[in-house]
Amino acid sequence: MTAQHTPVDVVCLGESMVTFLPSQPGRLADVPSFDRGIGGAESNVACALAAAGHTAKWVSRVGADGFGDHLVETIASYGVDTSAVQRDPHRPTGVYFRTAEDRDGDAHEVAYYRAGSAAGAMSPASFRRDDLWSGRILHLSGITAALSPDCLALMRELTARAPGRPLVSFDVNHRPGLWRDTEGPQVLLDLARGADVVFVGEDEAAAAWGLQGPEAIRRALPEPGVLVVKRGAAGVVVFSAGPTRNQAPPALEEQGPGGGAPETVTTIPALRVTVVAPIGAGDAFAAGYLSATLRGLPVRERARHGHLAAAAALTVHGDLAAPPARTHADRLAGLDDAAWGRLRVGPGWTGAPEQEVRTT
């Protein structure tokens, strides 16, 4: 008898690791103690979507060890379905240590202990298609492709266009230190071309592909139905095949590939944020954008929900943050352009609307 798989909104596949967060700023050599957390681009998205009221499944492999227990239990505590996570008795769960400084700064350090991890053994034979295709959206990132040749083979299979597959969301997440050769940038470009919704930072596109500006990135990636170019504090540019920002958005199944469909280009400024820790914003943005996509909101509101979710992550320590209540986020995402431009948020804003600060 074939097992029944309960449909979910989003399936997220990728490695998650136990993260050790510093108790104070400074070099890894000088930090006296660390607090344990979890970190993983795809599981971060799954947790954020579950916290926002969606059904989400995380698919991965972890070791049959205490760290694997911690990951599965913690991610499940957010309401994420972890039933498809496999336990490996021969390979460990990955861990890493990092400093408190901005990831883009010279002082930021990360020490990964993930070589030979259980997640690195993921392959096309690891999971049932019924699990991977059980969501309306399948969310992936370029990190997985860098873990091992088997992981890359799995990613190539999942980004190959095939009848009946869900909408494929792909966050480029270029991590030069993970790639064993110089082929990483081209691999990421090829994988992105197979996705329906692509998230990429303007800075990482310049570093990986030598592309300058959103238009150049779109020319290199014409296939995805939606391309979201993130520009940091300047906001995002969304290229979408289909209706204008004032029309109803297309259904999920109509959003990819872009091909030669009419193009809409929408620029959505970020809101101003008093930053506590510059970690986790990219994953949170993807979760906020996908949440609004699942709800069928217009492009501007999708991006604004992404910005609001990113602001929630930026105003807490650690990778994960509780998103604002849906009614709160909807009210802010629906502000007119002038009011949105005056909006500034700081620590505690997600749970208390009075923490919003409007400036003239």
mmCIF file of all heavy atoms in Angstrom, residues 67-104:
data_model
loop_
_atom_site.group_PDB
_atom_site.id
_atom_site.type_symbol
_atom_site.label_atom_id
_atom_site.label_comp_id
_atom_site.label_asym_id
_atom_site.label_seq_id
_atom_site.Cartn_x
_atom_site.Cartn_y
_atom_site.Cartn_z
ATOM 1 N N PHE A 67 22.777 16.154 18.852
ATOM 2 C CA PHE A 67 22.581 17.369 18.073
ATOM 3 C C PHE A 67 21.458 17.185 17.050
ATOM 4 O O PHE A 67 20.676 18.104 16.785
ATOM 5 C CB PHE A 67 23.873 17.784 17.376
ATOM 6 C CG PHE A 67 24.911 18.362 18.306
ATOM 7 C CD1 PHE A 67 26.265 18.159 18.062
ATOM 8 C CD2 PHE A 67 24.548 19.103 19.427
ATOM 9 C CE1 PHE A 67 27.233 18.707 18.908
ATOM 10 C CE2 PHE A 67 25.504 19.644 20.285
ATOM 11 C CZ PHE A 67 26.848 19.436 20.022
ATOM 12 N N GLY A 68 21.378 15.982 16.468
ATOM 13 C CA GLY A 68 20.271 15.707 15.558
ATOM 14 C C GLY A 68 18.938 15.755 16.280
ATOM 15 O O GLY A 68 17.947 16.290 15.759
ATOM 16 N N ASP A 69 18.905 15.209 17.499
ATOM 17 C CA ASP A 69 17.683 15.281 18.307
ATOM 18 C C ASP A 69 17.277 16.728 18.530
ATOM 19 O O ASP A 69 16.102 17.097 18.410
ATOM 20 C CB ASP A 69 17.906 14.606 19.669
ATOM 21 C CG ASP A 69 18.100 13.103 19.577
ATOM 22 O OD1 ASP A 69 17.727 12.523 18.537
ATOM 23 O OD2 ASP A 69 18.633 12.520 20.546
ATOM 24 N N HIS A 70 18.267 17.547 18.885
ATOM 25 C CA HIS A 70 17.983 18.959 19.170
ATOM 26 C C HIS A 70 17.421 19.666 17.943
ATOM 27 O O HIS A 70 16.439 20.421 18.050
ATOM 28 C CB HIS A 70 19.250 19.655 19.651
ATOM 29 C CG HIS A 70 19.087 21.131 19.885
ATOM 30 N ND1 HIS A 70 18.272 21.649 20.859
ATOM 31 C CD2 HIS A 70 19.636 22.194 19.241
ATOM 32 C CE1 HIS A 70 18.312 22.969 20.823
ATOM 33 N NE2 HIS A 70 19.133 23.325 19.853
ATOM 34 N N LEU A 71 18.013 19.428 16.774
ATOM 35 C CA LEU A 71 17.530 20.071 15.563
ATOM 36 C C LEU A 71 16.086 19.682 15.269
ATOM 37 O O LEU A 71 15.230 20.539 15.035
ATOM 38 C CB LEU A 71 18.412 19.685 14.369
ATOM 39 C CG LEU A 71 19.726 20.429 14.191
ATOM 40 C CD1 LEU A 71 20.500 19.824 13.030
ATOM 41 C CD2 LEU A 71 19.478 21.904 13.938
ATOM 42 N N VAL A 72 15.826 18.388 15.249
ATOM 43 C CA VAL A 72 14.490 17.923 14.888
ATOM 44 C C VAL A 72 13.456 18.420 15.896
ATOM 45 O O VAL A 72 12.376 18.899 15.515
ATOM 46 C CB VAL A 72 14.465 16.387 14.784
ATOM 47 C CG1 VAL A 72 13.038 15.890 14.575
ATOM 48 C CG2 VAL A 72 15.352 15.921 13.624
ATOM 49 N N GLU A 73 13.782 18.346 17.164
ATOM 50 C CA GLU A 73 12.827 18.776 18.187
ATOM 51 C C GLU A 73 12.586 20.279 18.130
ATOM 52 O O GLU A 73 11.445 20.747 18.272
ATOM 53 C CB GLU A 73 13.338 18.368 19.569
ATOM 54 C CG GLU A 73 13.334 16.853 19.799
ATOM 55 C CD GLU A 73 14.117 16.446 21.027
ATOM 56 O OE1 GLU A 73 14.595 17.362 21.770
ATOM 57 O OE2 GLU A 73 14.281 15.235 21.253
ATOM 58 N N THR A 74 13.637 21.053 17.913
ATOM 59 C CA THR A 74 13.486 22.505 17.884
ATOM 60 C C THR A 74 12.690 22.947 16.666
ATOM 61 O O THR A 74 11.773 23.778 16.761
ATOM 62 C CB THR A 74 14.859 23.196 17.893
ATOM 63 O OG1 THR A 74 15.585 22.790 19.053
ATOM 64 C CG2 THR A 74 14.710 24.709 17.896
ATOM 65 N N ILE A 75 13.024 22.413 15.507
ATOM 66 C CA ILE A 75 12.300 22.793 14.291
ATOM 67 C C ILE A 75 10.846 22.351 14.379
ATOM 68 O O ILE A 75 9.932 23.088 13.999
ATOM 69 C CB ILE A 75 13.020 22.217 13.062
ATOM 70 C CG1 ILE A 75 14.381 22.909 12.890
ATOM 71 C CG2 ILE A 75 12.177 22.387 11.796
ATOM 72 C CD1 ILE A 75 15.303 22.258 11.882
ATOM 73 N N ALA A 76 10.602 21.160 14.917
ATOM 74 C CA ALA A 76 9.225 20.688 15.086
ATOM 75 C C ALA A 76 8.441 21.571 16.051
ATOM 76 O O ALA A 76 7.221 21.722 15.915
ATOM 77 C CB ALA A 76 9.214 19.245 15.565
ATOM 78 N N SER A 77 9.142 22.180 17.028
ATOM 79 C CA SER A 77 8.452 23.021 18.014
ATOM 80 C C SER A 77 7.840 24.270 17.377
ATOM 81 O O SER A 77 6.947 24.888 17.962
ATOM 82 C CB SER A 77 9.410 23.426 19.134
ATOM 83 O OG SER A 77 10.354 24.393 18.693
ATOM 84 N N TYR A 78 8.305 24.651 16.187
ATOM 85 C CA TYR A 78 7.718 25.781 15.464
ATOM 86 C C TYR A 78 6.453 25.379 14.712
ATOM 87 O O TYR A 78 5.813 26.227 14.101
ATOM 88 C CB TYR A 78 8.731 26.364 14.480
ATOM 89 C CG TYR A 78 9.787 27.231 15.120
ATOM 90 C CD1 TYR A 78 10.921 26.670 15.694
ATOM 91 C CD2 TYR A 78 9.649 28.621 15.165
ATOM 92 C CE1 TYR A 78 11.895 27.460 16.282
ATOM 93 C CE2 TYR A 78 10.622 29.417 15.747
ATOM 94 C CZ TYR A 78 11.739 28.830 16.310
ATOM 95 O OH TYR A 78 12.701 29.626 16.899
ATOM 96 N N GLY A 79 6.135 24.096 14.739
ATOM 97 C CA GLY A 79 4.984 23.612 14.002
ATOM 98 C C GLY A 79 5.326 23.044 12.643
ATOM 99 O O GLY A 79 4.439 22.783 11.831
ATOM 100 N N VAL A 80 6.618 22.835 12.382
ATOM 101 C CA VAL A 80 7.072 22.299 11.103
ATOM 102 C C VAL A 80 6.968 20.772 11.122
ATOM 103 O O VAL A 80 7.332 20.126 12.099
ATOM 104 C CB VAL A 80 8.529 22.730 10.819
ATOM 105 C CG1 VAL A 80 9.062 22.072 9.544
ATOM 106 C CG2 VAL A 80 8.623 24.243 10.720
ATOM 107 N N ASP A 81 6.509 20.200 10.019
ATOM 108 C CA ASP A 81 6.441 18.755 9.852
ATOM 109 C C ASP A 81 7.856 18.226 9.587
ATOM 110 O O ASP A 81 8.482 18.587 8.591
ATOM 111 C CB ASP A 81 5.515 18.422 8.679
ATOM 112 C CG ASP A 81 5.384 16.929 8.396
ATOM 113 O OD1 ASP A 81 6.112 16.121 9.010
ATOM 114 O OD2 ASP A 81 4.561 16.578 7.532
ATOM 115 N N THR A 82 8.377 17.389 10.475
ATOM 116 C CA THR A 82 9.722 16.830 10.327
ATOM 117 C C THR A 82 9.684 15.327 10.048
ATOM 118 O O THR A 82 10.699 14.636 10.205
ATOM 119 C CB THR A 82 10.560 17.092 11.594
ATOM 120 O OG1 THR A 82 9.896 16.508 12.728
ATOM 121 C CG2 THR A 82 10.753 18.588 11.829
ATOM 122 N N SER A 83 8.534 14.823 9.621
ATOM 123 C CA SER A 83 8.375 13.370 9.455
ATOM 124 C C SER A 83 9.262 12.801 8.355
ATOM 125 O O SER A 83 9.541 11.594 8.350
ATOM 126 C CB SER A 83 6.907 13.037 9.165
ATOM 127 O OG SER A 83 6.461 13.652 7.960
ATOM 128 N N ALA A 84 9.711 13.617 7.412
ATOM 129 C CA ALA A 84 10.548 13.126 6.318
ATOM 130 C C ALA A 84 12.038 13.280 6.603
ATOM 131 O O ALA A 84 12.867 12.955 5.747
ATOM 132 C CB ALA A 84 10.197 13.857 5.018
ATOM 133 N N VAL A 85 12.413 13.753 7.790
ATOM 134 C CA VAL A 85 13.827 13.895 8.145
ATOM 135 C C VAL A 85 14.396 12.515 8.462
ATOM 136 O O VAL A 85 13.844 11.771 9.278
ATOM 137 C CB VAL A 85 14.007 14.839 9.341
ATOM 138 C CG1 VAL A 85 15.480 14.914 9.740
ATOM 139 C CG2 VAL A 85 13.483 16.234 9.005
ATOM 140 N N GLN A 86 15.506 12.177 7.836
ATOM 141 C CA GLN A 86 16.133 10.879 8.030
ATOM 142 C C GLN A 86 17.252 10.975 9.056
ATOM 143 O O GLN A 86 17.936 12.000 9.150
ATOM 144 C CB GLN A 86 16.696 10.361 6.701
ATOM 145 C CG GLN A 86 15.640 10.160 5.628
ATOM 146 C CD GLN A 86 16.236 9.772 4.293
ATOM 147 O OE1 GLN A 86 17.458 9.724 4.129
ATOM 148 N NE2 GLN A 86 15.380 9.505 3.313
ATOM 149 N N ARG A 87 17.452 9.898 9.822
ATOM 150 C CA ARG A 87 18.514 9.837 10.822
ATOM 151 C C ARG A 87 19.599 8.887 10.319
ATOM 152 O O ARG A 87 19.315 7.765 9.901
ATOM 153 C CB ARG A 87 17.957 9.327 12.159
ATOM 154 C CG ARG A 87 16.752 10.105 12.686
ATOM 155 C CD ARG A 87 17.055 11.579 12.883
ATOM 156 N NE ARG A 87 18.021 11.832 13.915
ATOM 157 C CZ ARG A 87 17.706 12.071 15.194
ATOM 158 N NH1 ARG A 87 16.439 12.106 15.582
ATOM 159 N NH2 ARG A 87 18.641 12.300 16.091
ATOM 160 N N ASP A 88 20.838 9.339 10.358
ATOM 161 C CA ASP A 88 21.968 8.569 9.847
ATOM 162 C C ASP A 88 22.824 8.080 11.017
ATOM 163 O O ASP A 88 23.413 8.894 11.737
ATOM 164 C CB ASP A 88 22.806 9.446 8.914
ATOM 165 C CG ASP A 88 23.866 8.669 8.152
ATOM 166 O OD1 ASP A 88 24.417 7.706 8.709
ATOM 167 O OD2 ASP A 88 24.142 9.027 6.994
ATOM 168 N N PRO A 89 22.936 6.762 11.223
ATOM 169 C CA PRO A 89 23.717 6.257 12.367
ATOM 170 C C PRO A 89 25.223 6.313 12.152
ATOM 171 O O PRO A 89 25.993 6.077 13.090
ATOM 172 C CB PRO A 89 23.239 4.805 12.480
ATOM 173 C CG PRO A 89 22.844 4.431 11.090
ATOM 174 C CD PRO A 89 22.278 5.686 10.475
ATOM 175 N N HIS A 90 25.665 6.634 10.939
ATOM 176 C CA HIS A 90 27.089 6.600 10.618
ATOM 177 C C HIS A 90 27.710 7.972 10.385
ATOM 178 O O HIS A 90 28.935 8.102 10.386
ATOM 179 C CB HIS A 90 27.320 5.734 9.374
ATOM 180 C CG HIS A 90 26.744 4.358 9.481
ATOM 181 N ND1 HIS A 90 27.186 3.430 10.404
ATOM 182 C CD2 HIS A 90 25.727 3.767 8.785
ATOM 183 C CE1 HIS A 90 26.485 2.318 10.275
ATOM 184 N NE2 HIS A 90 25.599 2.487 9.310
ATOM 185 N N ARG A 91 26.891 8.984 10.191
ATOM 186 C CA ARG A 91 27.407 10.332 9.918
ATOM 187 C C ARG A 91 26.847 11.299 10.942
ATOM 188 O O ARG A 91 25.692 11.189 11.350
ATOM 189 C CB ARG A 91 27.025 10.776 8.503
ATOM 190 C CG ARG A 91 27.599 9.906 7.390
ATOM 191 C CD ARG A 91 27.120 10.380 6.033
ATOM 192 N NE ARG A 91 27.657 9.595 4.935
ATOM 193 C CZ ARG A 91 27.138 8.460 4.484
ATOM 194 N NH1 ARG A 91 26.018 7.979 5.062
ATOM 195 N NH2 ARG A 91 27.693 7.809 3.488
ATOM 196 N N PRO A 92 27.628 12.303 11.349
ATOM 197 C CA PRO A 92 27.180 13.215 12.409
ATOM 198 C C PRO A 92 26.310 14.359 11.896
ATOM 199 O O PRO A 92 26.257 14.641 10.695
ATOM 200 C CB PRO A 92 28.498 13.764 12.950
ATOM 201 C CG PRO A 92 29.383 13.799 11.734
ATOM 202 C CD PRO A 92 29.018 12.569 10.929
ATOM 203 N N THR A 93 25.668 15.022 12.807
ATOM 204 C CA THR A 93 24.983 16.279 12.529
ATOM 205 C C THR A 93 26.024 17.390 12.469
ATOM 206 O O THR A 93 26.935 17.446 13.309
ATOM 207 C CB THR A 93 23.966 16.583 13.639
ATOM 208 O OG1 THR A 93 23.056 15.486 13.733
ATOM 209 C CG2 THR A 93 23.213 17.867 13.362
ATOM 210 N N GLY A 94 25.913 18.265 11.507
ATOM 211 C CA GLY A 94 26.859 19.373 11.388
ATOM 212 C C GLY A 94 26.665 20.414 12.477
ATOM 213 O O GLY A 94 25.548 20.622 12.979
ATOM 214 N N VAL A 95 27.754 21.077 12.862
ATOM 215 C CA VAL A 95 27.698 22.177 13.833
ATOM 216 C C VAL A 95 28.576 23.308 13.311
ATOM 217 O O VAL A 95 29.470 23.098 12.478
ATOM 218 C CB VAL A 95 28.182 21.751 15.245
ATOM 219 C CG1 VAL A 95 27.340 20.600 15.780
ATOM 220 C CG2 VAL A 95 29.654 21.361 15.224
ATOM 221 N N TYR A 96 28.315 24.525 13.796
ATOM 222 C CA TYR A 96 29.224 25.621 13.480
ATOM 223 C C TYR A 96 29.204 26.675 14.575
ATOM 224 O O TYR A 96 28.254 26.779 15.352
ATOM 225 C CB TYR A 96 28.946 26.223 12.106
ATOM 226 C CG TYR A 96 27.730 27.111 11.958
ATOM 227 C CD1 TYR A 96 27.838 28.501 12.057
ATOM 228 C CD2 TYR A 96 26.480 26.577 11.652
ATOM 229 C CE1 TYR A 96 26.737 29.321 11.879
ATOM 230 C CE2 TYR A 96 25.373 27.385 11.466
ATOM 231 C CZ TYR A 96 25.505 28.757 11.580
ATOM 232 O OH TYR A 96 24.405 29.565 11.400
ATOM 233 N N PHE A 97 30.291 27.428 14.626
ATOM 234 C CA PHE A 97 30.470 28.522 15.571
ATOM 235 C C PHE A 97 30.643 29.798 14.763
ATOM 236 O O PHE A 97 31.270 29.793 13.701
ATOM 237 C CB PHE A 97 31.727 28.304 16.426
ATOM 238 C CG PHE A 97 31.685 27.073 17.291
ATOM 239 C CD1 PHE A 97 31.876 25.805 16.754
ATOM 240 C CD2 PHE A 97 31.469 27.188 18.662
ATOM 241 C CE1 PHE A 97 31.844 24.675 17.550
ATOM 242 C CE2 PHE A 97 31.441 26.062 19.467
ATOM 243 C CZ PHE A 97 31.624 24.803 18.910
ATOM 244 N N ARG A 98 30.114 30.891 15.267
ATOM 245 C CA ARG A 98 30.299 32.158 14.572
ATOM 246 C C ARG A 98 30.479 33.294 15.557
ATOM 247 O O ARG A 98 30.125 33.183 16.731
ATOM 248 C CB ARG A 98 29.126 32.451 13.639
ATOM 249 C CG ARG A 98 27.799 32.739 14.332
ATOM 250 C CD ARG A 98 26.804 33.269 13.309
ATOM 251 N NE ARG A 98 25.445 33.395 13.805
ATOM 252 C CZ ARG A 98 24.988 34.411 14.527
ATOM 253 N NH1 ARG A 98 25.809 35.385 14.890
ATOM 254 N NH2 ARG A 98 23.727 34.462 14.907
ATOM 255 N N THR A 99 31.035 34.389 15.050
ATOM 256 C CA THR A 99 31.175 35.592 15.853
ATOM 257 C C THR A 99 29.925 36.443 15.696
ATOM 258 O O THR A 99 29.060 36.175 14.866
ATOM 259 C CB THR A 99 32.410 36.397 15.415
ATOM 260 O OG1 THR A 99 32.338 36.630 14.003
ATOM 261 C CG2 THR A 99 33.694 35.654 15.744
ATOM 262 N N ALA A 100 29.854 37.509 16.496
ATOM 263 C CA ALA A 100 28.647 38.344 16.521
ATOM 264 C C ALA A 100 28.648 39.413 15.438
ATOM 265 O O ALA A 100 27.621 40.043 15.201
ATOM 266 C CB ALA A 100 28.510 39.009 17.897
ATOM 267 N N GLU A 101 29.783 39.605 14.770
ATOM 268 C CA GLU A 101 29.887 40.703 13.808
ATOM 269 C C GLU A 101 29.096 40.429 12.540
ATOM 270 O O GLU A 101 28.735 39.291 12.232
ATOM 271 C CB GLU A 101 31.358 40.958 13.463
ATOM 272 C CG GLU A 101 32.143 41.680 14.546
ATOM 273 C CD GLU A 101 32.443 40.783 15.726
ATOM 274 O OE1 GLU A 101 32.411 39.563 15.560
ATOM 275 O OE2 GLU A 101 32.712 41.306 16.815
ATOM 276 N N ASP A 102 28.851 41.487 11.781
ATOM 277 C CA ASP A 102 28.142 41.408 10.519
ATOM 278 C C ASP A 102 28.831 40.403 9.595
ATOM 279 O O ASP A 102 30.045 40.425 9.418
ATOM 280 C CB ASP A 102 28.132 42.800 9.862
ATOM 281 C CG ASP A 102 27.256 42.878 8.623
ATOM 282 O OD1 ASP A 102 26.993 41.828 7.988
ATOM 283 O OD2 ASP A 102 26.832 43.995 8.289
ATOM 284 N N ARG A 103 28.022 39.520 8.971
ATOM 285 C CA ARG A 103 28.559 38.494 8.085
ATOM 286 C C ARG A 103 29.376 39.088 6.951
ATOM 287 O O ARG A 103 30.318 38.459 6.454
ATOM 288 C CB ARG A 103 27.401 37.660 7.521
ATOM 289 C CG ARG A 103 27.819 36.606 6.526
ATOM 290 C CD ARG A 103 26.617 35.811 6.037
ATOM 291 N NE ARG A 103 26.118 34.954 7.093
ATOM 292 C CZ ARG A 103 24.905 34.402 7.068
ATOM 293 N NH1 ARG A 103 24.073 34.679 6.086
ATOM 294 N NH2 ARG A 103 24.517 33.602 8.048
ATOM 295 N N ASP A 104 29.036 40.294 6.511
ATOM 296 C CA ASP A 104 29.749 40.910 5.390
ATOM 297 C C ASP A 104 31.002 41.667 5.819
ATOM 298 O O ASP A 104 31.725 42.186 4.977
ATOM 299 C CB ASP A 104 28.814 41.870 4.641
ATOM 300 C CG ASP A 104 27.656 41.134 3.986
ATOM 301 O OD1 ASP A 104 27.852 39.980 3.571
ATOM 302 O OD2 ASP A 104 26.564 41.714 3.907
#
